[in-house]
Amino acid sequence: MAVSWVERVASFLRSPSRFLSSTTAEVFLVELLREQRDERVTYDVKLTMLSPLCEHPTLLCPSACTGEETCLELMSVFSHCPPKYTEFRCQLLLTLATVLVSTGCVSAHSHASRDFLDLLLKLAQDTYHDPADVPSALRSTRAAACECLRELEACCPGLLSQHLELLNGLRQQENPRHHQALSGLYAVVLRNGVHLLARQAGAGPEGLKALLGGNAAVAWEAEPESPALTDRPESAPLPSVLGPTGPGPTLHTGPDCKELRSVLSSLLEESYLLTPLSQAALLHALTEVVAMVSGVSPAIFKAQLLRLLGTSKVCLFHSTLLMKAAFTDSLFSPEDEAFLLKRLVALCQHPQMSTAAKLLYTDCLLHFPENRPVGAADGGEALPVLFTPRLAAALVPTAFDEPATMLARLNVSALVHLEEQGEEEGGGLAYLWDHLLLLLHVVEHGGDRRGVVTFFRASFLFLCRFGRVERYAADLQRRLCALYLRHSRLAPHVLNLADRAQDVRPGWAVALLRSLQGAAVSAGDDLGALSLTDLHWHLRVLARVAEEGQIGQGSTVDFLFAVATSASPASRSEDWRLGGDLLAVCRHLLAHPGLDALLCPLADVLQHVARHHGDTDIRDHGRLYYALLTALSREKLGGVLGGGGGANGDRQDKKRALSSMVVESQDLTSALTIHKARAPVFHLVAKGHPGGRAESTPAPGDDEAAKADPGALHADVLSSYRSQLLSSGSAAEISLSYELRYLDAGPAGFDRLFSLRLHFEPAAGRFAALADVCVPCLFRERASAPPAVTLTLTPRAPCPGTLRCSAVFTTQDELTWHAALPDVHVAFRQLFKPLPVPASWGPALRLRAFERLWDEFCSGGDGGSGGEEGGDASPDRASSLFCGRLGEAELEALLEEHFAPFRVADPRDATGHKVLLYLPPRSHMLLRVSPQEDAVQFHMATDNWRLLPHINDFLLSITDWEARNGVDS
């Protein structure tokens, strides 16, 4: 059961939708909760079973009612769990918090939320302490409870605002080494409480004092209308008061804030005991509190500022910058600001800093919160006032920088040059241009993709800053065209740069596209020397150029005509990719504003493609474009191609042309669409007795060989068999025979089907993937024999399974249909195979193999065969006994009907019968059948104990005495 649940949970987490296709979320949830209450299940398995609720809470609990019931069940499990199972208890608390928040159950009217909050507060107060509990386990449970409380408070602000005094007392009583969780919880609750209080009209010092002294009873049932659990529309995380949305609410309390200042000072004095991430979270929360309360001076952070200014931790330095943004010159002097800038510059180039940290510090330079900002703060990038060129000299980009770092430094250096000299040329701009040419040199001489991307990003950045400098802009355009001609594979990068530059430098982008057009057309002077790849990219470039109405397209049409009529090499006229690229250019030309001047030459190109191209589809598309060009007006052509737009660029509703093309299009769409059948049309019916096989004919001389050298025979029988088993690929397969028949209650209109393609999908991974089966036709006429279908299955485990079936077929009206078929169930009986022994074996060797396998399975495996098992005892081997009420005649008929191909002849045993079953992929089931006075005993031995329930059910079904004698059980 434990292994089964671990596998089920893993299957659910891999694909919840596929897992729930065989069951429902409600059933799966009920089973999970039932197993959680089962005392026989180990807590390791129970811990694994919590994963579905943690990962997909809303999938298993789609409603608040279901979520509340689930939480009540899990809290019952928690109350019965011994304290020593710390990991399970902590994970259970986190699961409860996840389900409560995800399903929206946190409200005053929810018993589950009140009970869970009661439980968490009691755990935080250590009222559940057991003397037998170890301190580490106790601390872990308390920390998990605090994390759950913080999560609930973050998702539902104000939930714990009535317990600030309680939490403050717990924080002060806790050992300083382990008070981190309570400190972080208290800071979050204080920040949310002050935020909500500041949003209330008329709030003042009395409200703040009541908030800090709030100590509501833990028993929520005593006061169900407590404000902590009242339903508020603001039951979502509160926005940050330090964010880009502007200043947050302000609480006017006057100078009387002694209690709040005392609490803040205590938290700040103990903050150095926390981990850096916890310190950063605490400082962020306290910064927001001070920013909202006007009666508390930002100077309260002064004692911590010296430590924070010298920190090397990214999170703490970021918290310092948040303080700078919130308080500016109220806390930071100009000397502090200058020191911060120097620290940022030093950290941007520190060799021990990671690339991500360097990029963060560089970004902080460009968004530095200043004491006295100059100009309007629009949120864009700008250099700080105190950032001098001398400081910026340390951040000049070099060829040895990592690409992201180099681009960031290039941006900073460009801003420094613009601030000092504007767009005028100077030493700084010349250095940046030389650096860009160095990157271009790397690309021209075989740079990798990383270097290519870096160069084009640097080019875009250079254009953004210095695109108005005519000398450099024209030179960059010329060099890019030359680069494209030498390396046409870079066309996507060049076109992407043109697209991006249209937003910032539209004139430069059009000029670049015009130059690219000239470069591509000039390559057509010698089409025979052009490779197919180069020609492909030239056509892609011309297609993009054809989108620009400002660029004339006469040279492009001449190039297209040369490509369409070129006969060298001959294979180009049959390449559908090249034809598609050529037609893509033509399509854009059909929507070009200068189409009137291109009408005749473009018609010649399309007519030549429609008549002489080697690919049928390309000819059809060329004929269509030619018909559109010659038959439709400019307005209709623009509407068909989707290029029409209003004065404001909005897409207008297109008018449909009333022509036969619409009807032909509808018929073509219907013919190309795969239609969905509403009900199954046919099914697979088992043919004869699947799985049964005749026993191979004994080889002559087999018994004589056994008599001549019995010792060698006894020693080598199992090793020979196992060698044969390892070398035989068909031993792991079973072949099942079926007939394809119509369903009696199937839908009408499917009397004659053609080109059937059957698709099988094994359920639960019981079998390996099957190849599709093709059937030529299926007719409903009685005279026609049903088609035979043979399925070759490769079981992954010797147990029954199901195949989900579907089919795609064509009807007599040439429409294609898809239909689901009834599932094919593979029974345990169908997995039986005779022992896959060598073809030369006769009855004596088969009997000897049976005896050796029986001894090995029943005695723990000391056969010493030297085969696959290696003579070691296997934990999967087992033996069992089954009894049935059968007479001698009934027994003989049963053996003949069900076990004839698998019986092993033993002339020495006249009363007993031996049956040897092989079940792929590599399992055995041995039966000794012996009749007794009033029953028949089936002694069983196997190398896979998981087969016993299946063989027991099978024997029970074929020896059912009541069914044979007509007795109602």
Side-chain angles (χ1 to χ4, degrees):
M1 180 61 71
V3 176
S4 173
W5 267 107
V6 171
E7 293 176 352
R8 292 188 67 188
V9 169
S11 176
F12 174 84
L13 295 178
R14 279 195 302 270
S15 177
S17 57
R18 178 177 296 179
F19 180 87
L20 294 179
S21 64
S22 59
T23 182
T24 63
E26 181 180 2
V27 172
F28 185 54
L29 178 62
V30 170
E31 294 174 351
L32 277 176
L33 297 178
R34 184 179 63 246
E35 294 298 319
Q36 288 289 338
R37 294 190 299 269
D38 193 347
E39 297 180 355
R40 296 172 296 178
V41 181
T42 64
Y43 281 95
D44 291 338
V45 177
K46 289 183 178 181
L47 181 64
T48 303
M49 292 166 61
L50 293 176
S51 299
L53 283 171
C54 286
E55 299 293 336
H56 305 278
T58 55
L59 186 62
L60 298 181
C61 304
S63 63
C65 180
T66 307
E68 185 170 359
E69 293 175 357
T70 301
C71 290
L72 292 174
E73 291 283 348
L74 294 179
M75 278 189 281
S76 175
V77 173
F78 185 88
S79 64
H80 291 86
C81 177
K84 64 180 180 179
Y85 297 107
T86 308
E87 185 178 2
F88 175 74
R89 285 162 62 89
C90 294
Q91 186 63 32
L92 188 55
L93 291 176
L94 296 176
T95 303
L96 278 162
T98 302
V99 174
L100 273 175
V101 173
S102 301
T103 57
C105 296
V106 184
S107 68
H109 308 292
S110 170
H111 292 286
S113 60
R114 294 203 300 269
D115 292 346
F116 184 55
L117 196 56
D118 180 15
L119 173 64
L120 293 177
L121 290 174
K122 286 182 179 179
L123 288 174
Q125 295 180 87
D126 195 19
T127 57
Y128 273 37
H129 177 54
D130 189 332
D133 197 7
V134 294
S136 60
L138 173 63
R139 289 195 300 271
S140 299
T141 306
R142 294 183 65 186
C146 291
E147 287 297 327
C148 292
L149 287 171
R150 185 164 62 172
E151 187 68 23
L152 292 176
E153 174 64 27
C155 296
C156 305
L159 185 68
L160 300 173
S161 60
Q162 298 299 309
H163 299 280
L164 272 174
E165 185 178 1
L166 171 65
L167 296 176
N168 193 29
L170 293 176
R171 181 183 64 83
Q172 294 175 353
Q173 295 171 11
E174 180 63 87
N175 188 319
R177 294 177 55 197
H178 311 295
H179 79 302
Q180 176 168 291
L182 282 169
S183 296
L185 171 61
Y186 183 83
V188 172
V189 176
L190 178 63
R191 179 261 182 194
N192 288 343
V194 172
H195 198 151
L196 293 174
L197 186 62
R199 294 167 63 177
Q200 297 179 10
E206 295 79 8
L208 181 60
K209 184 178 294 185
L211 176 68
L212 295 175
N215 192 10
V218 177
W220 288 98
E221 294 80 7
E223 39 181 338
E225 301 301 328
S226 172
L229 282 177
T230 52
D231 295 321
R232 295 180 294 100
E234 303 91 357
S235 59
L238 296 173
S240 175
V241 300
L242 307 178
T245 56
T250 302
L251 180 62
H252 300 283
T253 61
D256 188 15
C257 291
K258 295 181 180 179
E259 294 86 351
L260 181 59
R261 279 197 295 268
S262 176
V263 170
L264 295 178
S265 299
S266 175
L267 287 170
L268 289 172
E269 288 173 1
E270 299 171 356
S271 63
Y272 71 93
L273 297 173
L274 310 182
T275 61
L277 285 176
S278 297
Q279 286 188 60
L282 178 68
L283 291 171
H284 191 179
L286 298 186
T287 302
E288 291 189 318
V289 171
V290 175
M292 289 185 289
V293 181
S294 60
V296 179
S297 172
I300 197 172
F301 294 103
K302 204 68 175 177
Q304 306 294 326
L305 197 57
L306 181 61
R307 177 172 64 90
L308 294 175
L309 288 177
T311 182
S312 62
K313 300 297 183 181
V314 177
C315 55
L316 290 179
F317 199 86
H318 191 258
S319 298
T320 308
L321 293 176
L322 287 175
M323 290 185 190
K324 182 77 168 59
F327 307 126
T328 60
D329 52 357
S330 298
L331 179 60
F332 292 82
S333 64
E335 291 75 15
D336 295 333
E337 184 174 353
F339 180 78
L340 267 177
L341 285 174
K342 292 178 181 179
R343 284 278 295 161
L344 281 173
V345 173
L347 293 172
C348 285
Q349 53 182 331
H350 199 285
Q352 291 187 353
M353 286 293 165
S354 63
T355 301
K358 292 178 181 178
L359 293 176
L360 172 65
Y361 292 134
T362 306
D363 188 70
C364 290
L365 273 177
L366 300 179
H367 299 86
F368 186 74
E370 300 184 277
N371 287 352
R372 291 169 294 277
V374 177
D378 57 356
E381 294 180 341
L383 292 175
V385 175
L386 299 180
F387 188 69
T388 62
R390 183 175 180 181
L391 282 176
L395 299 180
V396 172
T398 66
F400 302 102
D401 292 331
E402 193 269 338
T405 304
M406 187 274 297
L407 291 173
R409 292 187 174 188
L410 178 65
N411 188 27
V412 173
S413 300
L415 290 174
V416 171
H417 178 82
L418 288 174
E419 184 172 312
E420 292 297 317
Q421 301 182 11
E423 294 183 351
E424 298 179 1
E425 298 184 29
L429 182 55
Y431 176 84
L432 296 179
W433 174 251
D434 291 340
H435 183 74
L436 188 63
L437 294 184
L438 176 62
L439 298 177
L440 175 62
H441 181 77
V442 173
V443 174
E444 288 178 335
H445 292 80
D448 57 2
R449 185 180 184 277
R450 186 183 184 187
V452 170
V453 172
T454 303
F455 164 71
F456 280 97
R457 287 181 175 176
S459 300
F460 176 72
L461 187 58
F462 189 88
L463 280 173
C464 291
R465 303 303 183 195
F466 307 107
R468 291 190 179 90
V469 182
E470 188 64 29
R471 170 191 168 190
Y472 293 117
D475 197 6
L476 179 61
Q477 172 189 320
R478 180 182 59 80
R479 291 178 184 273
L480 287 174
C481 289
L483 177 66
Y484 164 70
L485 279 178
R486 285 192 296 271
H487 306 283
S488 62
R489 60 181 177 84
L490 299 179
H493 298 281
V494 179
L495 294 179
N496 182 59
L497 177 61
D499 293 337
R500 299 289 183 180
Q502 272 196 328
D503 298 331
V504 293
R505 297 286 183 264
W508 183 89
V510 173
L512 174 63
L513 291 174
R514 186 179 286 110
S515 299
L516 289 175
Q517 179 192 34
V521 169
S522 64
D525 296 339
D526 188 7
L527 286 176
L530 274 181
S531 66
L532 194 61
T533 302
D534 291 340
L535 188 56
H536 162 80
W537 287 119
H538 289 331
L539 291 173
R540 288 291 183 92
V541 168
L542 292 176
R544 173 62 185 88
V545 173
E547 296 180 13
E548 297 297 327
Q550 308 173 35
I551 302 177
Q553 302 296 324
S555 59
T556 297
V557 178
D558 294 340
F559 179 79
L560 295 180
F561 187 80
V563 172
T565 58
S566 174
S568 176
S571 60
R572 288 182 180 175
S573 62
E574 300 178 358
D575 190 342
W576 64 269
R577 294 181 180 86
L578 185 61
D581 293 335
L582 190 147
L583 289 179
V585 183
C586 295
R587 186 184 186 282
H588 287 94
L589 291 176
L590 290 175
H592 195 272
L595 179 62
D596 293 341
L598 308 173
L599 187 61
C600 291
L602 183 58
D604 293 340
V605 173
L606 293 173
Q607 192 173 25
H608 193 279
V609 171
R611 290 182 176 180
H612 302 292
H613 199 277
D615 187 83
T616 304
D617 291 337
I618 299 300
R619 289 201 305 271
D620 291 342
H621 280 80
R623 191 175 299 110
L624 173 62
Y625 288 167
Y626 180 79
L628 294 175
L629 177 64
T630 56
L632 297 182
S633 64
R634 283 283 306 277
E635 293 76 11
K636 288 185 177 181
L637 188 60
V640 169
L641 297 176
N648 299 326
D650 298 329
R651 187 177 298 276
Q652 302 292 325
D653 294 333
K654 302 178 180 65
K655 297 181 180 180
R656 296 184 178 179
L658 302 178
S659 65
S660 60
M661 293 176 62
V662 176
V663 179
E664 294 175 1
S665 176
Q666 291 176 349
D667 294 340
L668 180 62
T669 302
S670 179
L672 296 178
T673 301
I674 298 181
H675 304 272
K676 180 74 174 180
R678 297 182 179 180
V681 181
F682 45 84
H683 63 147
L684 290 170
V685 180
K687 182 179 179 181
H689 296 283
R693 300 184 180 185
E695 190 173 10
S696 58
T697 305
D702 180 43
D703 292 331
E704 289 76 4
K707 295 177 182 178
D709 191 4
L713 174 63
H714 295 173
D716 296 336
V717 61
L718 284 188
S719 60
S720 300
Y721 162 63
R722 282 171 173 146
S723 299
Q724 167 77 8
L725 187 62
L726 289 174
S727 61
S728 176
S730 61
E733 299 175 348
I734 59 172
S735 295
L736 306 180
S737 300
Y738 295 90
E739 291 181 347
L740 205 59
R741 295 181 179 272
Y742 277 96
L743 286 167
D744 295 335
F750 297 95
D751 295 336
R752 298 176 68 84
L753 307 179
F754 303 91
S755 301
L756 294 90
R757 189 176 186 89
L758 308 180
H759 177 72
F760 301 92
E761 183 177 352
R766 295 290 174 83
F767 304 99
L770 280 78
D772 292 349
V773 177
C774 296
V775 178
C777 58
L778 177 64
F779 301 151
R780 196 183 290 274
E781 290 87 348
R782 299 293 182 183
S784 61
V789 176
T790 301
L791 301 182
T792 301
L793 304 179
T794 304
R796 292 177 174 171
C799 54
T802 301
L803 301 176
R804 299 190 184 96
C805 309
S806 60
V808 176
F809 51 86
T810 303
T811 53
Q812 195 169 3
D813 54 1
E814 299 183 357
L815 296 181
T816 304
W817 293 81
H818 176 272
L821 308 184
D823 293 345
V824 174
H825 300 284
V826 180
F828 184 65
R829 168 67 179 83
Q830 294 177 281
L831 302 177
F832 296 172
K833 293 182 63 175
L835 194 68
V837 296
S840 60
W841 281 28
L845 292 179
R846 293 172 185 269
L847 177 60
R848 184 57 187 167
F850 179 93
E851 298 292 348
R852 293 298 304 275
L853 289 173
W854 183 275
D855 295 340
E856 185 176 298
F857 294 167
C858 293
S859 64
D862 56 351
S865 62
E868 181 187 36
E869 299 294 329
D872 298 331
S874 172
D876 290 340
R877 296 170 183 167
S879 59
S880 183
L881 174 66
F882 177 88
C883 296
R885 300 171 60 182
L886 295 171
E888 290 188 11
E890 292 176 319
L891 174 61
E892 190 62 35
L894 181 145
L895 292 174
E896 185 63 28
E897 178 181 359
H898 298 285
F899 297 111
F902 319 111
R903 297 177 66 176
V904 179
D906 186 0
R908 298 168 298 175
D909 190 352
T911 59
H913 307 275
K914 297 180 177 62
V915 177
L916 203 165
L917 304 176
Y918 176 78
L919 295 95
R922 197 157 293 175
S923 299
H924 303 78
M925 174 62 67
L926 282 65
L927 303 177
R928 287 183 182 269
V929 186
S930 56
Q932 304 297 325
E933 295 180 358
D934 57 348
V936 175
Q937 294 182 352
F938 291 82
H939 295 270
M940 297 175 282
T942 180
D943 55 355
N944 189 346
W945 61 268
R946 300 171 185 84
L947 297 177
L948 294 178
H950 299 296
I951 193 66
N952 185 76
D953 293 341
F954 174 68
L955 293 176
L956 191 63
S957 65
I958 64 177
T959 60
D960 189 355
W961 185 86
E962 288 81 0
R964 295 195 320 274
N965 294 275
V967 179
D968 188 2
S969 58

